[in-house]
Amino acid sequence: MTRKCKGCGVVLQSEDAKALGYTPKKDADLCQRCFRIIHYDDVTISMKQGIDSYEVLQKIQAMNALVLWVVDVFDFEANMLHGINRHLLGKDIVLVATKRDLLPATLGNEKLGKFILSRLKELGIVVSGIVICGDLAKHAHEEYNDSIEQVEQAIDYYRKGRDVVVMGMANAGKSTLLNAMCDSRQLTTSRHPGTTLDVNAILHHDYLLYDTPGLTREDSLLTHVDDRLLKQVIPLKLLKPRVYQLYEASTMSLGGLVRLDLIGCEQVSCVAYFSENLKLHRSKQPKAEELWKKHYAEMLSPTIASLEEQQRFEHHGVDGKLDVVIHGLGWFCISGKLDEIVVYVPKNGNVTFRKAMI
């Protein structure tokens, strides 16, 4: 009888220690990889770029199930799946926005909901409903937190006798959501992308909940950063906005990962929403080139690629409020008047300019 790991869903085996599903104990419920993630936060085999997203979507399309699309609201742009309605033709989709607790309390759920609706409309994505969740890892069942209750109500309304499949990008919080719904720690959860490796079925009330492998976006820096740096780049607690008032052309350097040039400033505010473990360095823009050549990978660290492997994004003319989103890492909120914004990120990264979330 084939047995599957209760943590990631992969078939268990005891023959090949270097292959997925390996466990030295033939009666184990977890593969060695999940055991080490849970107990030591150690990934023995990284699969963050090894999941076939198209294959996962094909499996979901073949199911007669309601789709819960889990979206990390902090990393919203990199969690968007362009063409989701085409891939999942005819499916009822409920968007579950997770990690609300990372965002400032001054951003109310109503305003956040309007932002999500607006971005979905701009991207041509249609969903049946939206649920906003937060603080699921440790306080999902506290009296003040009605996140799971709201998710269960949405499922009751839209399920119509079907099973439920949970999907989303790697590290969006799918397994955390399912563990909170089932009030268990059965599924492996981690900051490491690609924790779930195969479809995992869980009996919940009178229907099945399916956990699925995280989809991968190759334009997210989170996909390319070394596993050892994940603790540094992924925020795990409430973001503390870092605010800068600028009166001249300035450069903001996020370690050696991002260079943001603000040109032609006339009293501009720059607010940074990133992990507090990533250092920000402010300098004069005319000296940015010299600074990066001299201090790259030293004062300006961590880094992903060589300095020569950078790509450039531009936005001309700002008079108001704008987010500069670095896929996988966070964003800068720019308000005021300036002539041009230039952003440099590693070659695999992406940048989105959008109407401000906050």
Side-chain angles (χ1 to χ4, degrees):
M1 179 180 173
T2 300
R3 296 174 57 247
K4 289 190 173 185
C5 172
K6 288 185 176 180
C8 67
V10 74
V11 174
L12 292 169
Q13 54 90 14
S14 300
E15 289 73 40
D16 188 350
K18 295 183 179 180
L20 293 173
Y22 176 76
T23 173
K25 300 179 180 179
K26 292 190 176 182
D27 59 345
D29 291 325
L30 297 172
C31 68
Q32 188 177 70
R33 176 179 179 273
C34 282
F35 183 87
R36 294 194 65 83
I37 289 175
I38 292 170
H39 295 286
Y40 305 109
D41 193 29
D42 174 34
V43 176
T44 54
I45 304 173
S46 177
M47 288 294 291
K48 64 182 181 181
Q49 295 182 62
I51 301 297
D52 186 334
S53 297
Y54 183 69
E55 184 179 326
V56 174
L57 289 170
Q58 281 187 315
K59 288 183 179 180
I60 295 171
Q61 175 61 23
M63 295 179 179
N64 180 27
L66 170 69
V67 176
L68 291 190
W69 177 24
V70 179
V71 170
D72 175 354
V73 74
F74 164 74
D75 196 19
F76 186 85
E77 302 303 330
N79 272 245
M80 288 295 94
L81 179 59
H82 299 280
I84 184 172
N85 298 113
R86 183 180 71 256
H87 289 294
L88 304 178
L89 196 62
K91 295 292 186 188
D92 291 323
I93 301 172
V94 174
L95 188 152
V96 180
T98 59
K99 306 186 186 180
R100 165 69 183 86
D101 48 297
L102 295 180
L103 305 181
T106 51
L107 175 63
N109 279 357
E110 183 178 352
K111 184 178 179 182
L112 179 57
K114 288 180 178 178
F115 167 84
I116 293 172
L117 279 171
S118 175
R119 286 297 291 142
L120 292 178
K121 185 177 180 180
E122 290 171 356
L123 295 169
I125 295 173
V126 178
V127 298
S128 300
I130 296 173
V131 181
I132 297 174
C133 298
D135 216 2
L136 295 180
K138 295 181 180 179
H139 304 107
H141 299 286
E142 298 292 338
E143 286 187 15
Y144 69 84
N145 193 347
D146 66 349
S147 297
I148 297 305
E149 181 183 349
Q150 294 293 327
V151 173
E152 295 279 12
Q153 287 177 1
I155 290 173
D156 289 344
Y157 185 80
Y158 292 107
R159 189 170 69 84
K160 300 174 184 176
R162 296 168 293 180
D163 292 328
V164 178
V165 58
V166 181
M167 61 157 283
M169 295 297 169
N171 204 51
K174 299 177 300 300
S175 297
T176 300
L177 171 66
L178 285 167
N179 281 336
M181 289 176 64
C182 301
D183 197 16
S184 75
R185 294 285 175 181
Q186 181 174 342
L187 299 173
T188 305
T189 60
S190 167
R191 66 173 61 84
H192 301 279
T195 302
T196 304
L197 300 179
D198 203 351
V199 175
N200 222 348
I202 307 166
L203 181 62
H204 185 60
H205 303 313
D206 60 340
Y207 61 91
L208 289 175
L209 278 168
Y210 290 95
D211 189 17
T212 60
L215 307 177
T216 301
R217 275 194 60 157
E218 294 297 331
D219 65 349
S220 169
L221 292 182
L222 195 59
T223 304
H224 302 282
V225 71
D226 190 284
D227 282 331
R228 293 170 295 181
L229 294 175
L230 290 173
K231 289 182 181 180
Q232 190 172 352
V233 303
I234 298 177
L236 297 176
K237 57 184 179 180
L238 179 67
L239 291 168
K240 294 181 179 179
R242 286 176 270 181
V243 184
Y244 300 84
Q245 301 299 330
L246 310 173
Y247 300 93
E248 60 181 342
S250 302
T251 292
M252 305 299 300
S253 301
L254 184 70
L257 298 172
V258 183
R259 171 181 156 189
L260 173 74
D261 288 353
L262 302 172
I263 301 167
C265 297
E266 292 182 16
Q267 195 170 348
V268 168
S269 170
C270 175
V271 185
Y273 296 93
F274 297 93
S275 167
E276 63 182 22
N277 296 319
L278 286 174
K279 292 183 179 180
L280 269 170
H281 184 87
R282 173 183 171 181
S283 60
K284 294 182 178 180
Q285 191 276 328
K287 296 184 178 181
E289 199 73 29
E290 178 185 348
L291 176 76
W292 273 67
K293 286 181 179 179
K294 184 176 181 180
H295 296 290
Y296 188 73
E298 294 176 358
M299 181 181 74
L300 300 176
S301 62
T303 63
I304 293 179
S306 69
L307 187 55
E308 291 73 28
E309 296 179 298
Q310 302 285 317
Q311 57 179 330
R312 173 185 173 122
F313 295 83
E314 300 177 6
H315 185 87
H316 298 276
V318 178
D319 191 0
K321 205 170 182 182
L322 179 79
D323 282 346
V324 181
V325 184
I326 315 301
H327 288 211
L329 296 184
W331 73 95
F332 298 95
C333 180
I334 310 297
S335 57
K337 188 174 182 179
L338 64 159
D339 296 334
E340 185 180 13
I341 298 174
V342 180
V343 190
Y344 298 89
V345 296
K347 63 177 181 179
N348 294 311
N350 197 7
V351 175
T352 293
F353 300 95
R354 72 183 183 197
K355 183 178 178 182
M357 174 191 283
I358 300 175

